[in-house]
Amino acid sequence: MSDQTRTRTPRLRAALAVAAVTGLGATALTALPAAAAGEAVTVQYRQSATGSDQVEPWLKVVNTGTTGVPLSQVKVRYYFKADAGASYTYACSWAVKGCANITGTFGTLAHPTATADRYLEVGFTAGAGTLAPGADTGDMQLRFHRSNWQPLNQSDDYSFGPAQTAYANWTKVTATVGGVPVWGTAPAGNDPTPTPTPTDPTTPPPNGAALFDDFDYTGHTDPAIGAHGWSVRSNAGGPGVPGATWAPENVTFAKEGTNSIMNLRTSTAGTGESTRHTEVLTKATKFKNGTYAARVRFSDAPVSGPDGDRVVQTFFTINDLKAPMADDYAEYDFEYLPNGGWGEPANILYTTSWETYRPDPWEAVNQHSESRTGYDGWHDLVLTIDDNSIVYYVDGREFGRHDARYLPERPMSINFNQWLIDLAGQTSTTPRSYDQKVDYVLHVKDQVLTPAQVAAKVAAYRSAGTAFQDTVPAS
């Protein structure tokens, strides 16, 4: 997030994301992934609300096959027609498998129909376990509502069954196992297609203008940091805890194995004056379309002291807001909240594409994807921007795809920061600190790379002994 002071709440986040799948080419045969012959599921549905405040699709997944099905491989989609201009928020009221083991994200259909242009995709974490033959998940009492709690209309929703007041098989909800469609009928023209064996190119594309940094520095005062175009923030201001400072000395560098690592440490003793945030950003705002990538280690627990602070760990691009609701503002975020915040009770990862905002009174125009699960550890984060869409990847998998209306009009800077939303999550005055680590950053101007191509390009830099390169021209 930028250094403008901003406060976000869930009702202000526009909830719209897509987890797209790769289509099979019409002229080639591709080996399908091995959803075992004995794997089959059906989805049972009942509605629990016909009113206008929220949608309540209650679901059960039933294993009708002959082998166990890892629920982490199952995706279920409920299709609906969005109200004009609406964003949505997902919640789980209760589930036999535990709400913490069930995820919900919103997606956009490639081929909208009169009764569907969005869907809620329900997934499972590894903690949900394996569904034995003949077993079912039990109740999943799910719901979603407009993010501003305005009335909504269910009557034109493809998957809604107003007369469905008891659980029964429901073919207007679809299911896949390991990416292979196994149940239901999607709205016309939107059948989930099997995910083929990955064929993404893994060789780097032809050379073009690029920034690469392996963060091989001696410390925050190393002259090479500034010479390479980076600024270690020390000026006051938001976001985060009022009265906190941005501490350059909390940005350190070290070797982990053969790689050099940048570490951002945020610390506090429970007061604004004791709180130290960290941020590293490019001095130039010269980055726009193309591919952005970084390998980042998120942390669920503090290095020392009591846990519970509402910490935000980030990788993002941004330019300045020239005026409230200015339409040439742009920001694209990966934000991990290991202890929740902004109304979320537990860990959540957001990717958000910003069109604009107004700080006072607060108004935001953005689109975001989310996953309510833990991301402790190293992750490969990739963001691509072309003239049609913004796509986010986490660990090689598409995490969110956002609309063309959020494309940038002006170049941006590249940023990493870690900060505390407030001090309400942990009120202790015992000192504690949190670490966020960064292995490398890459930007390739005007080229959309696959995650595999990103990995290959980084490997090529390292094989050549190149720790830093910046051939991106000034904007």
Side-chain angles (χ1 to χ4, degrees), residues 445-472:
K445 177 179 170 62
D446 295 332
Q447 293 184 17
V448 171
L449 275 61
T450 67
Q453 287 178 309
V454 167
K457 195 166 184 69
V458 171
Y461 278 122
R462 288 176 165 168
S463 295
T466 303
F468 175 81
Q469 180 188 74
D470 186 4
T471 59
V472 179

Side-chain angles (χ1 to χ4, degrees), residues 61-431:
V61 176
V62 183
N63 184 353
T64 54
T66 58
T67 63
V69 177
L71 282 170
S72 61
Q73 297 297 309
V74 176
K75 299 288 186 184
V76 175
R77 287 185 179 181
Y78 179 97
Y79 302 90
F80 65 99
K81 182 74 172 179
D83 298 288
S87 62
Y88 294 87
T89 298
Y90 157 83
C92 172
S93 298
W94 184 80
V96 172
K97 291 290 184 181
C99 284
N101 292 318
I102 299 173
T103 63
T105 57
F106 294 97
T108 302
L109 290 179
H111 305 286
T113 71
T115 59
D117 56 8
R118 308 273 183 90
Y119 57 82
L120 170 68
E121 182 169 87
V122 179
F124 301 85
T125 70
T130 296
L131 202 59
D136 65 64
T137 59
D139 278 350
M140 295 187 290
Q141 298 180 7
L142 312 179
R143 57 189 172 89
F144 62 93
H145 56 83
R146 292 184 61 165
S147 299
N148 59 7
W149 283 102
Q150 291 297 306
L152 52 75
N153 177 27
Q154 292 192 71
S155 64
D156 59 354
D157 291 351
Y158 176 85
S159 295
F160 178 54
Q164 196 74 11
T165 57
Y167 278 114
N169 290 352
W170 193 245
T171 59
K172 289 190 174 183
V173 174
T174 62
T176 60
V177 177
V180 178
V182 295
W183 175 259
T185 303
N190 293 279
D191 291 335
T193 53
T195 303
T197 301
T199 57
D200 286 344
T202 58
T203 56
N207 289 333
L211 164 71
F212 172 74
D213 202 330
D214 219 5
F215 295 115
D216 189 6
Y217 302 108
T218 60
H220 74 280
T221 60
D222 189 332
I225 294 177
H228 289 170
W230 294 102
S231 175
V232 182
R233 184 177 174 185
S234 60
N235 61 298
V241 175
T245 58
W246 295 82
E249 65 275 13
N250 279 14
V251 177
T252 58
F253 301 87
K255 290 285 187 181
E256 290 194 2
T258 59
N259 290 345
S260 51
I261 302 297
M262 176 172 69
N263 190 73
L264 284 72
R265 175 163 294 184
T266 292
S267 58
T268 188
T271 64
E273 294 73 18
S274 67
T275 302
R276 303 287 184 268
H277 296 154
T278 45
E279 181 166 22
V280 175
L281 64 155
T282 61
K283 293 183 284 187
T285 53
K286 62 178 184 178
F287 308 98
K288 194 181 175 191
N289 285 17
T291 300
Y292 299 81
R295 183 165 174 79
V296 178
R297 191 188 193 288
F298 297 129
S299 300
D300 277 358
V303 178
S304 60
D307 197 2
D309 288 292
R310 294 167 179 167
V311 63
V312 183
Q313 301 170 348
T314 76
F315 166 46
F316 64 101
T317 70
I318 193 170
N319 60 31
D320 59 319
L321 182 72
K322 292 186 176 295
M325 302 302 287
D327 61 6
D328 63 349
Y329 176 73
E331 179 180 349
Y332 307 96
D333 301 332
F334 288 91
E335 294 176 308
Y336 181 53
L337 282 60
N339 291 317
W342 297 323
E344 292 291 334
N347 41 23
I348 185 168
L349 176 65
Y350 287 111
T351 60
T352 309
S353 301
W354 288 79
E355 171 64 16
T356 190
Y357 73 97
R358 177 175 57 208
D360 189 22
W362 178 255
E363 182 178 0
V365 181
N366 62 32
Q367 186 176 358
H368 87 270
S369 309
E370 63 193 35
S371 177
R372 291 176 173 84
T373 189
Y375 281 87
D376 184 74
W378 285 103
H379 296 283
D380 294 306
L381 311 179
V382 176
L383 160 68
T384 65
I385 303 174
D386 60 18
D387 291 332
N388 300 302
S389 61
I390 305 108
V391 185
Y392 298 85
Y393 299 87
V394 177
D395 297 330
R397 294 181 176 272
E398 187 171 314
F399 187 91
R401 181 180 295 263
H402 297 171
D403 300 343
R405 66 175 294 195
Y406 301 97
L407 293 172
E409 288 86 5
R410 292 190 289 119
M412 302 167 287
S413 62
I414 297 175
N415 302 245
F416 299 90
N417 67 16
Q418 185 181 216
W419 48 281
L420 303 182
I421 297 172
D422 53 38
L423 296 171
Q426 171 57 261
T427 58
S428 170
T429 57
T430 300

Side-chain angles (χ1 to χ4, degrees), residues 5-21:
T5 301
R6 290 186 277 170
T7 302
R8 301 191 201 179
T9 63
R11 67 182 180 86
L12 297 172
R13 285 183 167 273
L16 181 60
V18 61
V21 292

